[in-house]
Amino acid sequence: MPAAVPLIAVAAAGIASAAVGGGIIGAVVGAGAAFIVSAIGQSVFPQKQKRQASLSPQAAAIAGFDAGQPGAGRTQAFRQPVTEHQLVLGRCKVSGPIVFLHSGTDDEGRADGYFYSVVVLAAHRVRAIGEVFLGDKLESDSSLAGLVRVDRHLGYPDQPADANLIAETGGQWTAEHRGRGRAYVAVRLKLTAEAFPAGPPNIAAIVEGADTILDPRTGATGWSDNPALLLAWYLTAPFGWRASWADIDIPALMAAANICDELVGTKAGVYERRYTANGVLSLAEGKIAITRKLAAAMAGALVVSGGRFFIHAGAPALPAATLTSDDLRGDVTIQGARPRRDLFNGVRAVYVEPAANWQPTDAPPLLASNYVAQDGGEMIYRDLEFPLTTSVSTVQRLMKVELERNRRQRTVAFPANLSALRLRPWEAATVALDRLAPFPARVTAWSLAAEGGVDLTLEEEDAAVWDWNPAV
């Protein structure tokens, strides 16, 4: 199922536009314009695809991890004349495009006994290139002793060309081949039938990715697998949205980063951080898809409002306001239940498992018997995939959040007066109307009405969505 974390347009008089070419989301039209990049609907930049049941806030950017798609689970080296660069986030196993091949006489005088290959791993500087895999063997495997040489280049902007390649390739690799700003490995293999019976193997490496991540909580720049910080990095990157740091709401970013770093218990009796992002993204996926995946990795949202970016991580939200009949300027509409086609009572998911050679792996399925009973005994599964998640415990929590969000079924179309200006998209509010028990909800759409006032859409969401019992 393709990734579908939607963008919800929120605009003055219902009109908005966004420039997705060079630069920041450049043309958000109208003083009240905003966008939410999360997982609800696809009202901005819709993709032509088969119709599918709607997903709740973070499901979609996670619904469609296809190893054949750009950047998904890429651990195989490949050759093609034109290809997009890739981003390496957190820690993961990665390969990439082969940009140089050469053979030469080895130390025993065998023509073509040495095989040379250069594989680009990332389009940016990385913290470290660790173990290199040659097929299913590590470079340090005893069977490869004396047969393998690996030169690592981390992608510094001033890095020199690989000295060994310059010396050994007869002018094919020169001092001008510096690979500045590109992390790569230069591998020389001494080919023998015993060590490499099928010829040169696939080359991949464990990489600790981008290490120019600014953390505004400390002012330090370095490596991070915090999804909120990674999203801010991508927003400001020259290959991303090219925003400035002045365009990002720093208090919101710091709060989101703190949520990601919260410790959560696991069934194994240890603690892990609530959200991390570890994986590979291809620039061919496009800015919108990459932004969606980073937002989904933290069950959160990116709100663009008033020309500023507000980054949010998924967590219980304290109500910012209580909406009553005094806030209405017209008739309110409440949808009490989702269409049957959009409901599910179980979740199956795929994530990337480091212990399984960093391959996509099935997570334990989640099935809620109480919801099955509500649905007349029919088991209805939603299949999701998490390409930036490498922890089964994190996957299980994200699965549970998605299921519980789906089962909170009330949606409110709230035509508010100007008192609703105190609310921003993605904030929480309590809906307290006459003849209706108050209930918590989240603002998922916001627009200034042409006749004055603010049109809100709210989705029911309570703190139990985020409850987690690691013993279950």
Side-chain angles (χ1 to χ4, degrees):
M1 185 181 300
V5 181
L7 289 84
I8 299 176
V10 186
I15 301 174
S17 67
V20 295
I24 181 179
I25 295 182
V28 181
V29 178
F35 294 104
I36 299 177
V37 184
S38 65
I40 311 171
Q42 285 204 334
S43 53
V44 178
F45 310 119
Q47 300 174 0
K48 293 183 179 179
Q49 58 186 19
K50 287 195 300 184
R51 188 183 180 283
Q52 58 183 344
S54 62
L55 304 181
S56 73
Q58 124 268 8
I62 54 182
F65 177 41
D66 178 355
Q69 295 298 316
R74 180 168 288 167
T75 58
Q76 297 293 315
F78 60 94
R79 294 185 68 192
Q80 60 189 59
V82 178
T83 186
E84 296 286 344
H85 282 294
Q86 58 192 19
L87 310 180
V88 181
L89 308 179
R91 181 177 183 272
C92 60
K93 183 180 180 182
V94 60
S95 189
I98 301 168
V99 298
F100 180 74
L101 290 174
H102 182 73
S103 61
T105 303
D106 67 13
D107 57 357
E108 298 178 7
R110 295 182 304 145
D112 300 328
Y114 281 145
F115 171 82
Y116 298 85
S117 180
V118 174
V119 178
V120 177
L121 303 174
H124 50 79
R125 196 178 87 188
V126 302
R127 180 167 76 168
I129 299 173
E131 299 169 317
V132 171
F133 289 80
L134 302 168
D136 58 357
K137 294 181 179 179
L138 288 172
E139 61 178 302
S140 57
D141 190 282
S142 60
S143 67
L144 303 179
L147 304 179
V148 179
R149 184 186 70 204
V150 178
D151 296 326
R152 296 164 170 83
H153 300 268
L154 301 183
Y156 282 86
D158 59 347
Q159 68 185 6
D162 186 278
N164 285 323
L165 290 180
I166 294 173
E168 299 175 17
T169 60
Q172 297 298 308
W173 192 272
T174 72
E176 299 302 316
H177 293 84
R178 298 174 61 179
R180 288 174 287 185
R182 302 293 182 261
Y184 70 92
V185 290
V187 178
R188 187 190 75 179
L189 304 177
K190 183 176 180 179
L191 298 178
T192 67
E194 295 78 18
F196 306 107
N202 180 66
I203 298 171
I206 302 297
V207 177
E208 295 180 6
D211 76 337
T212 54
I213 313 301
L214 173 63
D215 187 341
R217 298 172 296 178
T218 63
T221 298
W223 178 90
S224 178
D225 60 359
N226 184 300
L229 300 181
L230 289 170
L231 179 51
W233 171 76
Y234 181 68
L235 291 176
T236 59
F239 43 73
W241 289 105
R242 301 182 187 178
S244 72
W245 277 96
D247 297 318
I248 297 174
D249 188 87
I250 299 302
L253 171 59
M254 294 171 64
N258 286 337
I259 290 170
C260 293
D261 283 344
E262 289 174 355
L263 295 180
V264 179
T266 70
K267 194 171 184 178
V270 298
Y271 288 85
E272 66 179 15
R273 282 170 295 141
R274 184 181 291 274
Y275 304 119
T276 60
N278 299 274
V280 182
L281 296 170
S282 169
L283 294 181
E285 298 176 61
K287 296 186 180 85
I288 298 297
I290 290 173
T291 302
R292 287 170 173 166
K293 288 184 177 182
L294 285 166
M298 54 183 169
L302 171 67
V303 174
V304 187
S305 178
R308 292 175 62 78
F309 293 95
F310 298 82
I311 295 173
H312 299 286
L318 294 175
T322 298
L323 295 173
T324 70
S325 56
D326 292 337
D327 298 299
L328 286 169
R329 71 171 201 282
D331 294 333
V332 65
T333 301
I334 299 178
Q335 178 181 301
R338 298 185 191 277
R340 175 77 175 192
R341 66 180 181 273
D342 293 338
L343 280 176
F344 52 91
N345 49 47
V347 179
R348 293 179 296 223
V350 175
Y351 71 107
V352 177
E353 175 52 67
N357 196 26
W358 300 85
Q359 294 303 305
T361 302
D362 291 331
L366 170 64
L367 184 67
S369 58
N370 55 324
Y371 297 143
V372 173
Q374 292 177 16
D375 296 334
E378 181 183 2
M379 293 184 293
I380 309 169
Y381 279 97
R382 168 70 64 206
D383 293 313
L384 301 175
E385 295 175 338
F386 297 81
L388 296 181
T389 301
T390 56
S391 162
V392 66
S393 297
T394 301
V395 167
Q396 289 175 314
R397 284 186 278 107
L398 292 172
M399 291 163 65
K400 188 258 184 184
V401 166
E402 176 51 30
L403 175 61
E404 296 298 337
R405 278 173 159 168
N406 179 263
R407 303 305 298 202
R408 272 64 175 174
Q409 300 184 46
R410 282 184 286 189
T411 300
V412 182
F414 197 102
N417 53 38
L418 292 176
S419 65
L421 289 173
R422 66 191 188 277
L423 285 171
R424 278 205 305 258
W426 210 248
E427 287 187 329
T430 299
V431 179
L433 298 174
D434 297 339
R435 300 186 301 278
L436 187 69
F439 64 93
R442 192 182 291 270
V443 178
T444 57
W446 189 109
S447 64
L448 289 176
E451 68 274 16
V454 181
D455 290 332
L456 301 176
T457 301
L458 301 103
E459 300 274 348
E460 181 179 9
E461 182 182 302
D462 57 64
V465 167
W466 308 95
D467 289 345
W468 175 248
N469 182 355
V472 176

